[in-house]
Amino acid sequence: MTELLTIAGKPVLRFERRLAHRPEKVWQAVTDPAELAHWFPARVETEARVGAPMRFVFPDAAPVDDGGSGEVLEFDPPKVFAFRWNLDVLRFELVPDGDGCLLVFTQTIGGGDVGRLSGGRNAIGWDFCLDGLTARLDGAGAPPEPDWLHGMERYIEEFGLGDGTVHETAHGYELRFARDLVWQPAPEVWRLLTEEATVQPGDPAPLRATNGYVPAGRVLVASAPNVLEYEWLHDGSPAGRVRWETVADRELGTRIELTQTVPFALAHLRAEALAAWHTQLELFFAATFGEIRCPWPEERTAELTRRYAQRLTG
């Protein structure tokens, strides 16, 4: 079982795994750095005591160079092991269960609402790691690499991490989306968004930054590799703005933030616009993993339009 919860105002991923091994054996696998090396995503350097400093070292192929640091927060053999890893807190709890035990693993994700966006990639990543732990305990071979893209998409949908929100302003509404792009470099995101074209104010908006549901006008801001903003049209006249902004955070990863302003008079267009951007960000996310999906999934947009319309009227 995997859940994304909110506890004390913080996002928490919670996993349960029933293991066919006694707590004492599992304890060694989750606390001994030599054992962690077989399934944990980074090499761990630490000591077996509360307050001990920790250092994490990623393999050379990792998307970030420095695994960072932390400290041991709980160490109660063979029951609870918890530690801080950069902004996050990881906690392993072992509960005897017949001839085996129940592992309850949680990741309290740092970074608040921005950190929460990483729930999809963290969930599929820990699934893979916990599969590796189970295989190590069972004496089996390492599990195969998961389908990262589709695994993340499944969790993003399940956790509602792709959903847009509506905020009333002095002049109407602002539709907002924020989507985790893992550790994609901002220049690469810009290249995908503009399809490698040179974009300047006054130009038509790049095709990949637009869709057929929100007619696009001229570019207003083009600040590579972070900000692209253009006007959108209603009945041929400017009605508001669409803004794509890429934010690369050293601790939290890369995200895309998309907003559209909508005047009060066009409030009836909000549900369809939300659905269109939701669909487009799903397509864009897949493109960052090299998967270009055509044609536009109209049924998906129709389904999302119904969902957003219910929320707006509910």
Side-chain angles (χ1 to χ4, degrees):
M1 180 177 68
T2 304
E3 302 173 284
L4 180 60
L5 309 171
T6 300
I7 300 176
K10 298 180 179 180
V12 178
L13 276 171
R14 186 179 188 275
F15 304 79
E16 284 190 9
R17 293 288 181 100
R18 206 280 175 180
L19 303 173
H21 304 277
R22 299 292 298 167
E24 293 77 12
K25 181 176 181 180
V26 180
W27 177 260
Q28 183 178 4
V30 300
T31 60
D32 182 349
E35 287 296 316
L36 288 165
H38 292 279
W39 64 271
F40 198 73
R43 190 176 80 244
V44 180
E45 299 173 1
T46 190
E47 299 175 21
R49 59 179 177 84
V50 172
M54 303 183 74
R55 182 169 178 261
F56 303 90
V57 181
F58 283 128
D60 292 340
V64 289
D65 297 329
D66 183 13
S69 62
E71 64 179 312
V72 177
L73 302 176
E74 297 180 72
F75 195 85
D76 182 13
K79 301 176 183 177
V80 177
F81 178 45
F83 55 89
R84 179 181 59 80
W85 183 2
N86 295 332
L87 299 179
D88 302 340
V89 173
L90 309 186
R91 189 175 191 270
F92 298 86
E93 181 178 1
L94 305 177
V95 181
D97 182 22
D99 58 354
C101 71
L102 179 69
L103 167 64
V104 179
F105 169 63
T106 59
Q107 177 193 13
T108 300
I109 304 172
D113 289 340
V114 173
R116 186 183 187 88
L117 296 174
S118 69
R121 66 169 137 108
N122 279 309
I124 188 65
W126 288 122
D127 276 346
F128 178 54
C129 289
L130 294 175
D131 286 348
L133 168 63
T134 302
R136 176 66 178 171
L137 291 165
D138 293 345
E145 286 276 336
D147 182 337
W148 293 105
L149 171 59
H150 296 95
M152 282 187 281
E153 288 180 318
R154 175 171 58 87
Y155 277 123
I156 288 167
E157 177 73 8
E158 180 180 334
F159 298 155
L161 298 174
D163 292 358
T165 56
V166 179
H167 303 264
E168 189 168 328
T169 69
H171 305 288
Y173 305 93
E174 186 173 76
L175 315 185
R176 299 177 188 170
F177 288 86
R179 181 88 182 211
D180 176 57
L181 298 183
V182 195
W183 297 100
Q184 288 283 347
E188 178 62 16
V189 176
W190 181 266
R191 185 189 70 80
L192 284 169
L193 187 63
T194 62
E195 297 184 88
E196 302 189 65
T198 300
V199 181
Q200 297 178 343
D203 289 345
L207 186 61
R208 188 168 279 164
T210 69
N211 60 69
Y213 298 80
V214 182
R218 297 290 174 176
V219 171
L220 302 172
V221 179
S223 181
N226 300 109
V227 178
L228 176 68
E229 185 172 310
Y230 61 85
E231 61 188 10
W232 70 275
L233 310 176
H234 181 69
D235 290 340
S237 299
R241 295 186 172 203
V242 172
R243 179 183 176 92
W244 293 74
E245 182 170 2
T246 303
V247 182
D249 188 302
R250 290 184 60 188
E251 294 184 303
L252 300 173
T254 304
R255 66 185 183 275
I256 196 86
E257 297 182 353
L258 187 147
T259 57
Q260 179 190 354
T261 60
V262 178
F264 285 121
L266 298 178
H268 61 285
L269 299 178
R270 291 174 299 166
E272 187 175 72
L274 285 162
W277 294 123
H278 190 137
T279 306
Q280 186 158 357
L281 287 169
E282 290 178 339
L283 298 175
F284 190 74
F285 182 68
T288 66
F289 282 82
E291 187 170 305
I292 305 300
R293 297 172 180 171
C294 292
W296 181 279
E298 293 183 6
E299 290 184 3
R300 172 64 170 164
T301 308
E303 170 201 343
L304 288 167
T305 300
R306 291 189 291 271
R307 184 193 302 179
Y308 281 113
Q310 280 188 326
R311 293 181 186 177
L312 291 170
T313 59

